[in-house]
Amino acid sequence: MSEPTDEPRQLKVIVADDQAAVREPLAAVLGMSEGIEVVAAAADGTEVLAAVAAAPVDVVLMDLRMPVMDGIEATRRLSEEHPQVAVVVLTTFADDESILAALGAGARGYLTKNAGRQDIVRAIRAAAAGQSVLDREVQDRLLATARARPAAPDQALPPDLTPREREVFTLIGQGLPNRAIAEKLFISEATVKTHINNLFAKAGIRDRPDAVRRAIAAGLA
């Protein structure tokens, strides 16, 4: 009879990038990270979908500009067909159109290729836990874009949010993960999750990236 183990489950990850010179070293580096198993490396979106269909996958690290099927379409397909698989975008592009398209397609995280290994690993773990991680440059661009447009609070902020839910909503819009929100508000992570579940239900928010967009649109972030 085998002894029980307390070792955390290995997160199964796909690395998708059309450039082998990027894809292969990144897969090798991530494969040496604790708690991460790279199960496939894909050169385009069709290979990503095939790999996800063939075996369990937790997270796809997705480039945007790829031939055959790009990262936006692959992310959209994954969101529709395999919603349990989280997508973290890793790309050289940080323009408004790319960011909004990726988040709109269902990506839970968005990093530029300036991100270090620890940042990428952190984003993968956060995405697998249902959280969102945005590169600082990406977050700044989203904030700048939102602030350049007239705010529409009535469209994004339900009137029955409690003061604490509003605080949590604001911090989500700033890109903070649950642990950081808990530390900032001096409450437990479990309490943060309860507030998030409540405000998601009240606002009809489907996931973390959607919450970030809604918070920005409401002028909270």
Side-chain angles (χ1 to χ4, degrees):
M1 185 175 183
S2 61
E3 293 293 328
T5 177
D6 294 328
E7 292 184 3
R9 183 176 66 88
Q10 293 280 101
L11 293 177
K12 299 183 183 301
V13 176
I14 293 174
V15 175
D17 195 297
D18 64 320
Q19 298 182 43
V22 174
R23 180 177 68 246
E24 293 173 3
L26 182 57
V29 168
L30 288 178
M32 293 186 290
S33 301
E34 184 178 358
I36 291 178
E37 177 187 359
V38 177
V39 296
D44 59 61
T46 60
E47 292 186 8
V48 170
L49 294 175
V52 169
V57 175
D58 296 297
V59 180
V60 177
L61 194 61
M62 185 85 76
D63 188 21
L64 290 185
R65 308 292 171 87
M66 296 184 291
V68 186
M69 181 186 292
D70 65 20
I72 299 295
E73 177 62 16
T75 299
R76 186 188 65 77
R77 290 277 300 275
L78 286 173
S79 296
E80 293 176 353
E81 299 170 15
H82 304 279
Q84 77 282 4
V85 178
V87 173
V88 174
V89 171
L90 181 65
T91 181
T92 57
F93 302 96
D95 58 282
D96 293 350
E97 183 179 355
S98 296
I99 295 167
L100 294 174
L103 295 179
R108 289 188 191 168
Y110 197 112
L111 304 176
T112 65
K113 288 184 178 176
N114 293 326
R117 186 187 73 167
Q118 290 185 340
D119 294 326
I120 296 171
V121 169
R122 189 180 304 116
I124 288 172
R125 290 174 177 159
Q131 301 173 12
S132 176
V133 175
L134 302 178
D135 187 284
R136 173 56 62 179
E137 180 183 356
V138 170
Q139 184 177 323
D140 289 346
R141 288 193 67 90
L142 285 175
L143 291 174
T145 299
R147 288 167 180 163
R149 300 172 180 170
D154 292 342
Q155 297 178 14
L157 190 63
D160 58 341
L161 288 184
T162 67
R164 181 64 89 187
E165 288 166 357
R166 186 185 178 96
E167 286 181 308
V168 172
F169 205 176
T170 299
L171 296 174
I172 288 174
Q174 294 173 4
L176 272 64
N178 288 2
R179 178 175 296 179
I181 293 174
E183 292 173 353
K184 196 171 187 67
L185 298 180
F186 302 102
I187 57 180
S188 69
E189 281 192 69
T191 300
V192 170
K193 290 179 181 178
T194 297
H195 288 313
I196 289 174
N197 289 337
N198 290 340
L199 72 88
F200 275 28
K202 289 178 180 179
I205 295 171
R206 65 178 182 274
D207 54 29
R208 195 85 170 204
D210 187 32
V212 173
R213 293 191 296 272
R214 295 279 292 276
I216 292 172
L220 295 180

